[in-house]
Amino acid sequence: MKKILVTGGTGYIGSHTVVELRQKGYDVIIVDNLSNSSIEVLDNIAAITGTKPLFEKLDLAEREVTLDFFARHTDIEAVIHFAAYKAVGESVEQPLKYYRNNLFSLINILDGMLENRISNMVFSSSCTVYGQPDELPVTEQAPIKQAMSPYGNTKQISEEILRDTTNVNKNLNAICLRYFNPIGAHESAKIGELPLGVPNNLVPFITQTAIGIRPQLKVFGDDYPTPDGTPIRDYIHVVDLAKAHVVAVDRMLNEKMKKNCEVFNLGTGNGFSVLEVIKSFEKVAGVKLNYKIVDRRPGDITEVWADTSFANRELGWKAEKGLDEMTLSAWKWELALAEKKKNKIR
């Protein structure tokens, strides 16, 4: 059984990817510092897959700790690297925190891989590398513009690090997956998006407002040049996204890459506004949301959605779930969390 390292594997996208890897027969080891996730996720993964993945708690931004880990796990076949800070607004306020964590961790992992002849990395990138595109839908050939936030800049720099490193290390392969906006939860409602503290992303803030954890949802701006004035994004179900990572690993291990650093957009190819997401949620959940329009948030772009034809063709992958499925699964996850909390109190 081939072993895959998943960094940030107790996080939102990471945990769903671990489930998909296990269901495809891969052995998985998770590394996470639990800065924005819970150790309980391991039990929830086990409840879905029947096995609890190996886990080590460590900070990949610490060089010696990371190199020691790789020296002890030389049988790893591929690395899926999720571990990073990801809040756009926070990155504007605390840029050094983001540069230090997101870049140091990648460099340390690459050093560990090269020292131990581990050849394959799938990198968690982002559509933020495009900034505000000139043309929509955005393709992988779109020019990389100046980033709108330090978070987006860490993704741009990380891709440059991977291109430069794979260029001089021909035995090293990298696939950069540029996500659009993952939302939703696993159909079992055992794993989903669970930010510690106040959510930075739209959908968990929606569900927490609907269930009464948050008094009100803030919509950041209704004066954008879009049909309803709110920003437009390409929302993709997290399970569709997770499955793409398994396909990318398969592509690497079966030597199907066309070059040793590849880039793919992962989205649905459809754009939905913030208000459209709210309306979808209200429809499927039967709940009226208390929301308020406030000023724009620094670092946000107007609109972006993907041209996914390259990923569809090359990876043989396509997002399958629609917006209502995404918002309904997120609501079922929130309800399951509330039920679990209620049972603990009893």
Side-chain angles (χ1 to χ4, degrees):
M1 191 181 294
K2 293 179 178 179
K3 183 184 287 186
I4 311 299
L5 167 63
V6 180
T7 75
T10 57
Y12 176 42
I13 306 171
S15 60
H16 286 82
T17 301
V18 170
V19 166
E20 296 302 320
L21 286 165
R22 288 294 304 135
Q23 291 178 338
K24 288 291 186 178
Y26 285 107
D27 191 14
V28 176
I29 181 167
I30 294 173
V31 165
D32 204 305
N33 66 2
L34 302 177
S35 64
N36 195 34
S37 60
S38 169
I39 193 68
E40 293 179 6
V41 171
L42 297 177
D43 292 328
N44 298 334
I45 291 172
I48 297 170
T49 66
T51 56
K52 193 171 183 176
L54 292 172
F55 172 81
E56 287 198 28
K57 182 182 178 182
L58 59 87
D59 188 346
L60 293 161
E62 297 181 10
R63 179 176 173 77
E64 295 306 318
V65 170
T66 303
L67 295 181
D68 173 71
F69 170 84
F70 278 100
R72 291 184 287 106
H73 295 280
T74 57
D75 58 340
I76 291 169
E77 297 275 353
V79 177
I80 305 180
H81 181 37
F82 293 107
Y85 295 145
K86 62 176 184 175
V88 169
E90 184 187 55
S91 78
V92 174
E93 296 167 0
Q94 301 182 61
L96 291 181
K97 174 182 177 180
Y98 275 67
Y99 288 119
R100 184 178 298 112
N101 182 76
N102 293 6
L103 300 181
F104 286 7
S105 60
L106 174 62
I107 291 167
N108 293 340
I109 290 167
L110 287 171
D111 278 338
M113 291 174 65
L114 290 169
E115 286 186 12
N116 295 280
R117 298 182 181 180
I118 298 167
S119 299
N120 303 299
M121 174 183 280
V122 177
F123 177 66
S124 168
S125 191
S126 167
C127 66
T128 57
V129 302
Y130 297 117
Q132 180 59 67
D134 294 325
E135 296 182 5
L136 291 169
V138 62
T139 72
E140 291 85 352
Q141 285 71 48
I144 303 299
K145 294 188 169 184
Q146 181 175 347
M148 301 286 284
S149 68
Y151 163 72
N153 201 27
T154 66
K155 293 301 183 183
Q156 289 184 358
I157 296 169
S158 293
E159 287 196 12
E160 290 170 0
I161 289 170
L162 286 166
R163 278 195 298 272
D164 291 343
T165 307
T166 54
N167 189 48
V168 295
N169 295 277
K170 296 303 182 184
N171 292 325
L172 182 66
N173 301 310
I175 294 179
C176 300
L177 299 178
R178 293 175 178 166
Y179 313 160
F180 282 68
N181 287 66
I183 60 174
H186 193 267
E187 63 182 1
S188 67
K190 294 185 183 299
I191 55 173
E193 190 167 8
L194 184 61
L196 301 184
V198 180
N200 287 296
N201 294 336
L202 174 62
V203 171
F205 216 113
I206 286 175
T207 59
Q208 288 188 14
T209 301
I211 211 160
I213 297 173
R214 309 289 162 196
Q216 188 176 61
L217 169 70
K218 293 178 181 178
V219 175
F220 295 104
D222 66 347
D223 58 348
Y224 287 91
T226 62
D228 63 21
T230 62
I232 291 174
R233 300 289 183 270
D234 187 337
Y235 295 94
I236 177 173
H237 198 292
V238 66
V239 172
D240 282 334
L241 190 66
K243 288 178 178 178
H245 291 77
V246 181
V247 172
V249 168
D250 290 343
R251 181 177 177 85
M252 287 178 150
L253 299 186
N254 292 313
E255 300 181 351
K256 292 182 178 179
M257 294 178 65
K258 301 288 177 63
K259 52 185 180 179
N260 68 331
C261 188
E262 297 182 330
V263 175
F264 297 98
N265 284 340
L266 296 184
T268 64
N270 300 304
F272 293 99
S273 73
V274 172
L275 289 180
E276 285 177 314
V277 175
I278 289 172
K279 288 174 184 175
S280 168
F281 175 82
E282 289 180 332
K283 180 178 71 174
V284 301
V287 176
K288 190 69 177 173
L289 274 175
N290 177 27
Y291 67 88
K292 178 183 178 182
I293 307 295
V294 298
D295 291 339
R296 294 186 185 191
R297 183 171 56 181
D300 282 346
I301 63 172
T302 301
E303 57 186 348
V304 64
W305 64 89
D307 182 330
T308 62
S309 57
F310 184 59
N312 299 157
R313 183 175 67 252
E314 281 293 314
L315 298 178
W317 165 91
K318 186 176 178 62
E320 297 175 349
K321 299 180 186 297
L323 182 61
D324 288 350
E325 290 178 272
M326 301 182 211
T327 53
L328 180 59
S329 66
W331 181 230
K332 288 180 177 178
W333 161 243
E334 192 68 61
L335 292 172
L337 288 174
E339 185 65 26
K340 188 175 182 180
K341 186 176 181 180
K342 190 190 301 182
N343 291 336
K344 279 186 178 179
I345 293 172
R346 289 175 187 162

